[in-house]
Amino acid sequence: MARNEDTAAVVRKRQREARTISQMVALYCAGNHGGDAREHVAACGEPVCSVCKELDDYANLRTMRCPRMECKTSCDGCPHPCYHPAMRERIRTVMRYAGPRMLTRHPVAAMRHLCARLAAKRKRLTPKSIPRT
């Protein structure tokens, strides 16, 4: 099934999400893998090891191919996960490590992500229509 052409807003959202996940992978790699082994460059331009480069490429490919980008807020709430279960577990490990550290290294991306998550949570909790009596 072919995906419809993205609007400009969806293209920006894809690029922003791909850059954010790439930054998280690079942050994880810097904290967990030796500096000598980081000979590759992630999509965000930061150095990573070959294992993290593979994960970064996979995550970026999935982000670019996501059919629900225009309406989703994060992958964990999506009813149709794009990630293979083993890769999903790897990316969760990266996010658990990098998430709290994003506030100091990439504060704008971290705050944008938090605001989107809060807005989505608020939207789920708001009743659609309550009849007045």
Side-chain angles (χ1 to χ4, degrees):
M1 180 170 86
R3 185 181 69 194
N4 293 337
E5 284 298 314
D6 289 339
T7 63
V10 173
V11 169
R12 284 191 306 274
K13 186 176 179 180
R14 280 185 199 283
Q15 291 170 342
R16 185 172 50 241
E17 194 164 313
R19 183 177 58 247
T20 301
I21 193 64
S22 185
Q23 290 169 338
M24 292 179 103
V25 170
L27 192 57
Y28 175 82
C29 188
N32 291 284
H33 301 141
D36 297 336
R38 297 185 310 149
E39 69 252 358
H40 300 283
V41 178
C44 65
E46 296 183 34
V48 292
C49 68
S50 58
V51 173
C52 289
K53 175 67 173 158
E54 175 191 346
L55 181 61
D56 183 55
D57 290 344
Y58 182 83
N60 278 298
L61 178 66
R62 295 302 178 178
T63 299
M64 292 304 152
R65 289 185 178 174
C66 178
R68 303 181 52 83
M69 185 61 67
E70 67 278 349
C71 62
K72 77 171 191 150
T73 55
S74 66
C75 295
D76 65 343
C78 186
H80 304 288
C82 297
Y83 286 75
H84 186 272
M87 294 302 261
R88 192 174 325 142
E89 197 51 46
R90 284 177 62 189
I91 206 70
R92 278 188 185 138
T93 302
V94 166
M95 289 182 175
R96 273 189 218 110
Y97 177 85
R101 291 163 178 85
M102 286 289 285
L103 280 170
T104 57
R105 290 287 306 275
H106 303 286
V108 173
M111 292 307 295
R112 186 179 288 131
H113 179 72
L114 287 173
C115 288
R117 297 272 309 215
L118 289 173
K121 190 174 188 178
R122 197 172 325 128
K123 186 176 179 182
R124 281 193 305 265
L125 295 176
T126 304
K128 293 197 183 220
S129 62
I130 299 174
R132 293 183 181 221
T133 56

